């Protein structure tokens, strides 16, 4: 049985989130994909057009002995704007929504506490945080050309750290 845990986060375009998460010690794998929709085996063109209800997400496998879920949430809040409903920068649509998909009750409680702390004390406290906190559903791996996209194509990130 693996000692690793899974976290699934949606913060707009998955390329930048994936890129930054790969740099955190204790993160073992990061996979781009789709979650939260109503279509089985969604394709990128379908998701991009907003036809499936899925969000672009990254699924993170991490070693809780090296990095905890709360640290991943801190990263999450720092690398996107959780106050824009269904939008991150130029990307508009529910597929770019801010969402934390929890895999167990401990993650749900941690996500809710983290969101409340961010709303009360964080960088975004002057605006309403609209991040959804939802139970994880089927994760659909994105097409291979999306995996590690920024590094393979030597492109800068589409996300900017906010603080």
């Amino acid at each position: 049985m693996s000692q690793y845990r899974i976290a699934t986060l949606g913060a707009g375009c998955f390329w930048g989130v994936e890129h930054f998460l790969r740099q955190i010690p204790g993160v073992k794998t990061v996979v781009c994909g789709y979650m939260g929709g109503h279509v089985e085996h969604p394709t990128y063109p379908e998701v991009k057009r907003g036809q499936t209800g899925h969000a672009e997400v990254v699924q993170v496998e991490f070693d809780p002995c090296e990095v905890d879920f709360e640290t991943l949430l801190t990263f999450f809040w720092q690398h996107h704007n959780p106050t824009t409903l269904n939008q991150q920068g130029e990307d508009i649509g529910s597929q770019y929504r801010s969402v934390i998909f929890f895999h167990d009750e401990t993650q749900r409680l941690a996500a809710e506490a983290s969101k409340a702390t961010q709303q009360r004390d964080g960088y975004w406290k002057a605006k309403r945080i609209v991040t959804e906190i939802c139970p994880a559903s089927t994760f659909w791996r994105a097409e291979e050309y999306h995996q590690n996209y920024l590094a393979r194509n030597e492109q800068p990130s589409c996300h900017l750290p906010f603080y």
Side-chain angles (χ1 to χ4, degrees):
M1 181 193 271
S2 174
Q3 66 185 8
Y4 299 149
R5 302 287 184 262
I6 298 293
T8 306
L9 306 169
C13 172
F14 43 39
W15 296 340
V17 178
E18 175 200 34
H19 175 76
F20 286 114
L21 278 167
R22 287 182 182 277
Q23 299 171 38
I24 297 175
V27 168
K28 302 305 176 187
T29 62
V30 184
V31 178
C32 292
Y34 316 112
M35 187 177 279
H38 57 272
V39 172
E40 291 194 18
H41 308 286
T43 65
Y44 181 67
E46 292 170 330
V47 173
K48 186 175 171 102
R49 286 191 299 269
Q51 297 177 330
T52 68
H54 290 88
E56 286 193 17
V57 298
V58 291
Q59 192 153 84
V60 183
E61 185 179 38
F62 64 99
D63 185 340
C65 295
E66 296 179 54
V67 62
D68 58 22
F69 183 63
E70 289 77 6
T71 299
L72 298 178
L73 291 176
T74 297
F75 160 88
F76 171 79
W77 299 119
Q78 291 174 346
H79 286 84
H80 81 295
N81 182 343
T83 69
T84 53
L85 184 63
N86 298 330
Q87 179 178 359
Q88 288 301 308
E90 306 265 328
D91 295 328
I92 299 172
S94 64
Q95 65 272 34
Y96 302 112
R97 67 189 177 268
S98 176
V99 60
I100 300 167
F101 287 103
F102 60 87
H103 291 266
D104 58 33
E105 186 66 6
T106 301
Q107 283 190 357
R108 182 186 69 79
L109 293 171
E112 289 176 354
S114 181
K115 180 179 176 180
T117 298
Q118 287 298 314
Q119 187 65 78
R120 184 184 64 244
D121 303 326
Y123 182 83
W124 301 106
K125 65 184 174 186
K127 297 182 178 181
R128 188 172 79 80
I129 292 176
V130 297
T131 302
E132 297 175 11
I133 299 174
C134 305
S137 56
T138 303
F139 173 77
W140 301 99
R141 182 183 173 97
E143 295 80 354
E144 203 53 41
Y145 65 90
H146 289 296
Q147 309 305 325
N148 209 16
Y149 183 88
L150 296 179
R152 286 187 303 104
N153 291 284
E154 298 180 7
Q155 292 188 358
S157 171
C158 51
H159 284 72
L160 296 175
F162 289 97
Y163 56 98

